[in-house]
Amino acid sequence: MVTARAAATFEPVGRSAGAARAFVRDALLGWGLPEVVDDAVVLVSELVTNAVVHAGTAAEVCCLREAETVRIEVTDHHPERGLPAYADVPVTASDRYADPDGEGGRGLLMCSALAERWGVEYAAGSKTVWFRLPLPAHVTGTRYAVPATPGSELPSSTGPLRVAVVQLDDDGRVLAWNPDAEALFQHPADTVLGRPWADFAVWPQGPGTGLGLAATLRLARWEGSFGLRRADGATVEVYGAQVRVRDTEGIPSTLCLLVLEPDRAVLRSPARALPGDKTDQGGARLDLLTGSVGTDDLDTLLQRTVERARDLLDADAAYVLLTTEDESEFEVRAATGLTTGHRRHARFPVETGNRYDSARMPSVHEDLSTRPTGLALLADSGLRSLLTVPLKVEGRLIGSLGVAAAAPGRYDNEDALRLQFAADRVALAIESTRLTELERLRRGSLSFLVEASDLLAGTLQHEQTLALMAQMAVPTLASWCAVYTNGDHGAPASLAFVLHEDEDRIDPLRALLDKTAVPESGPTHGVRFWTAPSDTARAGGLADSLELDGLLGETVVLPLTARNRVIGLLALGSPAGIRFRQEILELAEDLSRRAALALDNSRLYSERTATSQALQRSLLPPDLPEIPGVEVDVYYQAAGEGNEVGGDFYDLFTIREGTYGFAIGDVCGTGPEAASVTGLARHSLRLLAREGLDAPQVLSRLNAAILDEGSRSRFLTLLYGELTPQPDGSTELSLVCAGHPLPLRLRTDGQVDRAATPQPLLGVMDELDLTAERLVLAPGEVLLCVTDGVTERREGRRMLGDDGLAEVLTGCTGLTAGAVALRVQRAVERFAPEPPSDDMAILTLRVPTQRTG
């Protein structure tokens, strides 16, 4: 005797085999027969594949539940193909086929191996392969909860019972209208197709009447009574059951089954209370949506849901799992009554591999000690009874709700159906609130990353970048953070920075990490879990120390990858008992990529700056020589951040005993390009002067060397001189001023005059006619030599100029060489509020009134 039947037709396309497997699995699970699911699915998959792929016809699958067996039939419409060839002589079952490895024979070989009985039936234009699987005796364990109709509630009818089938699109417009709908409501199909369902449904309005029509149409499942307007204008009371479905292209619609109110028992689920009933067959109606919860407060909504589910079903514990974004794992989001194994945000696979534990069906686990669930959340909890129902929205699994009790056999089929009905109502609220939370998290993540990028881009200092990385991670992403940087030339990584949200724990954490082996670099992307700190603490007997109490929970390591190489590692840690959420780990990955690039930029900048400064320092003269009878002081400032030498330069050196050379010059431009000509000029001056050439010859040779640089050459203004202290206390000078600002002479009476005349600058003409000018500085007199960064100091259209410099120098009578240079430098800085934008050099020579040495 057949007690249940389910049938479906599948088109001759490649995906039909998978659809057939799902159909058979759902049908058998719905009948509470998980024990035969695996074998049935395997056989149906092979037979449907033969039909739709090899025979090329549609396949009809029919599942029949009998008293002691399940019979499944697969029918195709190409009877002359698809069966293997039989041999001419009797053989064993395993040798009946000409090609046991061929596609045609494999399905029947499997039927022979797995089924209790099987066979092939032919009809005109079709062929049916059938098999039977025996039903095992029921044992205490898990069963799937499906609605049952008690005999006392079976409907009675005096005439033909009509069930209207109406399909609505996502906008609530009528897509389909069957003949029973025409008969019941007197509307021909062509007059209703495409019209809004609201034109026909008389939906209850007002406070306390529940959801509106539009919101109800978007529920995964719904049952209830409402009015429906007939063609003659009268309203009839109907009872409806609706389900939200998606087609093969993912487009949602709502399927409504409608009967007249007196025939409501045809559609009504036993667990649903009828209007006017005080209680339903399974006890009081469950409602998990109580209290006012903010639409964006997901944690509060979930916690109240599990607490209410526990209380309404007199359970000892309850929990809610939500699916991850890819729907491959469950994440623990709320729980109550679980004292062991419960870690918030812990993850478990949706499909556990346990054939008796499907998250997609309401399930009753009678005794977990006899048939344990595959959910690690309940391991060692001492709970025996478990009731789980899926949370679905528009047919999509979004989570699972479970209640558990310490006693076995606490829950039955009716409890599962009541909880499923309540879960269907709360699922939409949970999903809506979760989407709001995800949107808020995404906005917060974007703001966090924008702020992090701005902060990291604001510095090129290596140590400051390390500190910023840690400060952005703690406490936003983790309770503590450690940054490891790779050494030069393949040297192992070393601990560079440690930060904890509690400053008192930074030192104990650093001490522990110093004892812990540095994590390996590993892949260039992705998060890796790292247990070495906890292992080190346990090995050293420190795990229970007060300093480390609660410090170490979950620890992850992210590579710092920039320019296709790992330059360091970022370690993030949580307190004991806390796991990282996936959203936090994804945000940490984004931060690590930005931080790695900033860290590499700061490293490159530091290396470039160190190299540049080393080269620039080589262009500066060594310590100035002591010149008997002459005071010398210099002030130098290069324009541009990080530059020690620019286009301006100075030098003072010994030519021969008793005679010294000095120079102050300005190469066209600033920065490294100008500095390269600076080096050429300074070193050439020393070499040529020590060859015995006089001042004009030295500058002529230097001019030729600059022109030899070709396109890299730059013109150069230069004041070059040789000085020789005299026995009478004066100092004799020989000067050539090649296009440079003229030196100023400060006499003892305060008078200032020019100490040379202008001559052609260097680096422009091949032949120069230069002349040395002789000058004698008397005791107390000063020779001031500057570059145009001093005389061309500007404030708007006003310039310091030669006259302004002479005025400053007039007030320096009686000052030492150092004091004169300092006063000129202060006058230049105070002339305008903006910092100087040009290189600046000041060289002062003074003959003291009393000779020393």
Side-chain angles (χ1 to χ4, degrees), residues 19-29 37 40-41 44 61 63 72:
R21 288 194 296 269
F23 163 71
V24 172
R25 179 183 295 107
D26 290 344
L28 297 181
L29 289 178
V37 166
V41 165
V44 167
V61 179
C63 301
I72 298 180

Side-chain angles (χ1 to χ4, degrees), residues 82 109-110 113 118 134 160 189 225 242-243 262 264 297 299 310 328 350 535 572 625 669 731 773 779 801 819:
L109 279 173
M110 296 180 69
W118 67 278
S225 300
Q242 72 178 43
V243 61
R264 61 188 177 184
D297 190 359
D299 289 338
R310 178 197 60 188
S328 65
V350 170
D535 296 340
L572 301 176
T731 297
E773 299 180 74

Side-chain angles (χ1 to χ4, degrees), residues 308-355:
R308 184 160 177 80
R310 178 197 60 188
D311 295 341
L312 290 177
L313 287 168
D314 194 23
D316 297 311
Y319 62 85
V320 165
L321 312 176
L322 295 186
T323 56
T324 55
E325 191 168 347
D326 61 0
E327 299 183 13
S328 65
E329 290 184 303
F330 279 131
E331 182 179 32
V332 181
R333 292 301 302 267
T336 180
L338 293 176
T339 57
T340 61
H342 167 228
R343 290 185 297 176
R344 194 159 180 249
H345 304 302
R347 295 195 170 200
F348 312 99
V350 170
E351 300 298 342
T352 62
N354 187 332
R355 63 192 295 185

Side-chain angles (χ1 to χ4, degrees), residues 805-817:
L805 180 61
E807 183 178 348
V808 173
L809 185 59
T810 300
C812 296
T813 304
L815 298 181
T816 63

Side-chain angles (χ1 to χ4, degrees), residues 42-65:
V42 169
L43 294 177
V44 167
S45 180
E46 288 292 333
L47 295 176
V48 171
T49 299
N50 285 342
V52 301
V53 175
H54 303 296
T57 75
E60 299 170 4
V61 179
C62 181
C63 301
L64 303 172
R65 179 174 179 177

Side-chain angles (χ1 to χ4, degrees), residues 828-848:
V828 172
E829 290 186 347
R830 293 172 181 172
F831 188 77
E834 298 83 9
S837 59
D838 195 6
D839 300 336
M840 181 169 56
I842 302 171
L843 172 64
T844 56
L845 302 174
R846 179 177 181 272
V847 180

Side-chain angles (χ1 to χ4, degrees), residues 818-836:
V820 173
L822 183 59
R823 180 166 294 188
V824 172
Q825 179 259 331
R826 288 179 176 174
V828 172
E829 290 186 347
R830 293 172 181 172
F831 188 77
E834 298 83 9

Side-chain angles (χ1 to χ4, degrees), residues 724-779:
T724 305
Q726 300 299 313
D728 61 358
S730 64
T731 297
E732 182 179 345
L733 297 94
S734 174
L735 302 174
V736 177
C737 187
H740 199 76
L742 298 177
L744 299 180
R745 178 180 184 178
L746 174 63
R747 299 182 183 273
T748 55
D749 59 0
Q751 180 181 346
V752 175
D753 52 26
R754 294 182 176 87
T757 55
Q759 299 188 58
L761 52 74
L762 308 181
V764 178
M765 298 179 292
D766 292 333
E767 300 293 335
L768 296 179
D769 185 12
L770 302 174
T771 304
E773 299 180 74
R774 303 186 66 80
L775 175 69
V776 176
L777 289 181

